[in-house]
Amino acid sequence: MTVTIYDVAREAGVSMATVSRVVNNNPNVKPQTRKKVYEAIERLGYRPNAVARGLASKKTTTVGVVIPDIANANFAEVARGIEDIANMYHYNIILSNADKRKDKEIRVVNTLLEKQVDGLLFMGGVVTDEHLQAFNTSNVPIVLCATTDEKGTMPSVDIDHEGASFDAVTKLIEEGHRDIAMISGTLQDPAGGYARFQGYKRALEKAGITYREDYVRVGNYRYESGVEATEYFLHLSDRPTAIFAATDEMAIGSIHCLQDAGLTVPEDVSVISVDNSRMASMVRPLLTTVAQPMYDIGAVSMRLLTKLMKKESVENARVTLPHELIMRRSVAAPRGK
């Protein structure tokens, strides 16, 4: 049978109120009494009812996390940062995978809010008006993690995606490349798609390089779309000497496509990307990429959420973390330079 707080009180020879104070870490309990209660809890195998405690306190010490793709190593690293800080502040995590589908994202958000979470972290792509409507009906804090909303109304933690892309393409230009193609993410995604595309265009413009529509293909962030885009570039009469991919996964697809075509990276074509996932140091040649501090994005997002949940003062609710260019072996000067 289920062991209740009454059973623990009787076993320890104290009141149920005293057991409740011990379980909830109330300091107003004598050490000797606290020891008796803990011994009774251990003997009986009692586990406090988190649901009942939540109803009484109107706090569940639980945070909902919406993750767009649980198989993506980057999001796994963000989740690890979230979990570490959540543990530090004694919060439990409910992790929900949304498969990068808007309808599922909104359904998962509503489900988590119905579970009376104390706060919500949302990782996703495009934050639409429907997302904002769901967020605005919440009576608990919500922080956007590794994404932002176009209107800038939501607390968020992310990097400067346009700046990261600009730095990557500028590195190719500094190496002597002028025929630079891009494998973009969906342009409806304001961060990983549109912002990185804008950074690419801005770098070309600053260097006086004419933008070419046939040098841009839109992918879906996955390996296969990197392969498909690169196959397209290889059939151009004047193929590019360098390819900038919006994600490591698409960049690796590009590298493998080039190698399958009998070309070498970076001697024939240089490849660079943004992310610095674990895969970047597994592919050969090692991938030059702009690092996002994925663990830090998760950790800072969770810390911001704890402040909002505790109604602490927050100076800046829209945090932009620094990125860093990681030079490896997939970029070199074009032949003849």
Side-chain angles (χ1 to χ4, degrees):
M1 295 179 63
T2 302
V3 178
T4 67
I5 192 171
Y6 172 78
D7 298 322
V8 174
R10 185 175 57 186
E11 178 76 11
V14 299
S15 68
M16 287 190 289
T18 298
V19 176
S20 178
R21 283 193 289 270
V22 171
V23 168
N24 289 292
N25 295 315
N26 189 309
N28 298 321
V29 181
K30 293 179 180 178
Q32 185 176 358
T33 303
R34 188 182 299 276
K35 182 173 181 291
K36 284 169 56 179
V37 171
Y38 278 134
E39 288 173 347
I41 286 172
E42 188 174 346
R43 283 196 300 273
L44 297 176
Y46 171 69
R47 286 186 174 85
N49 187 323
V51 174
R53 290 166 67 189
L55 289 172
S57 66
K58 297 184 179 179
K59 299 292 182 185
T60 61
T61 63
T62 301
V63 168
V65 178
V66 180
I67 187 168
D69 183 1
I70 202 164
N72 186 301
N74 278 341
F75 293 123
E77 188 70 2
V78 176
R80 192 168 68 87
I82 292 169
E83 177 74 15
D84 285 351
I85 300 302
N87 286 337
M88 186 182 301
Y89 287 91
H90 308 292
Y91 282 96
N92 300 306
I93 296 295
I94 300 177
L95 191 66
S96 297
N97 181 44
D99 292 324
K100 290 188 176 179
R101 286 170 33 208
K102 183 180 77 171
D103 60 329
K104 189 173 181 181
E105 287 174 349
I106 294 171
R107 186 170 72 250
V108 165
V109 166
N110 287 325
T111 299
L112 289 170
L113 293 175
E114 288 167 6
K115 291 183 181 297
Q116 304 298 309
V117 293
D118 294 341
L120 189 71
L121 290 171
F122 178 81
M123 283 184 268
V126 184
V127 179
T128 66
D129 289 338
E130 291 135 294
H131 287 91
L132 293 174
Q133 184 177 357
F135 296 156
N136 290 335
T137 61
S138 168
N139 59 358
V140 299
I142 296 175
V143 172
L144 304 181
C145 178
T147 190
T148 55
D149 63 309
E150 283 188 279
K151 297 177 182 177
T153 58
M154 298 288 299
S156 63
V157 179
D158 206 356
I159 67 163
D160 176 2
H161 291 276
E162 182 177 335
S165 174
F166 177 86
D167 290 348
V169 178
T170 297
K171 180 59 184 175
L172 293 173
I173 294 168
E174 290 172 350
E175 290 290 333
H177 293 277
R178 297 189 67 82
D179 299 319
I180 304 169
M182 178 181 185
I183 308 173
S184 173
T186 171
L187 299 183
Q188 283 69 46
D189 177 356
Y194 186 72
R196 295 185 187 182
F197 172 66
Q198 288 298 105
Y200 163 78
K201 287 182 68 177
R202 182 161 65 90
L204 296 182
E205 181 181 350
K206 184 177 179 182
I209 299 172
T210 302
Y211 167 74
R212 293 177 48 167
E213 287 190 6
D214 61 341
Y215 270 13
V216 176
R217 302 298 285 177
V218 175
N220 63 0
Y221 307 107
R222 299 294 181 86
Y223 175 92
E224 292 77 13
S225 65
V227 173
E228 291 168 7
T230 305
E231 287 175 343
Y232 167 82
F233 295 141
L234 290 178
H235 284 90
L236 295 175
S237 57
D238 49 346
R239 74 180 187 218
T241 63
I243 296 173
F244 164 57
T247 66
D248 287 351
E249 191 167 334
M250 292 195 297
I252 293 169
S254 179
I255 288 174
H256 288 169
C257 179
L258 293 166
Q259 291 169 339
D260 289 346
L263 299 173
T264 57
V265 178
E267 289 79 7
D268 293 313
V269 181
S270 289
V271 179
I272 196 170
S273 65
V274 177
D275 275 344
N276 196 38
S277 63
R278 290 181 67 241
M279 292 185 294
S281 56
M282 296 177 183
V283 68
R284 294 296 180 271
L286 301 175
L287 179 62
T288 295
T289 183
V290 178
Q292 294 190 80
M294 303 308 292
Y295 177 91
D296 292 345
I297 288 174
V300 173
S301 297
M302 185 64 211
R303 182 64 186 107
L304 174 59
L305 185 62
T306 62
K307 288 184 176 182
L308 295 174
M309 290 188 294
K310 294 174 183 291
K311 295 181 169 55
E312 296 176 8
S313 174
V314 174
E315 291 183 12
N316 182 15
R318 291 179 62 82
V319 180
T320 302
L321 296 180
H323 56 267
E324 179 187 5
L325 179 63
I326 306 296
M327 288 300 300
R328 295 195 178 97
R329 297 182 180 177
S330 65
V331 170
R335 288 189 185 274
K337 292 287 183 180

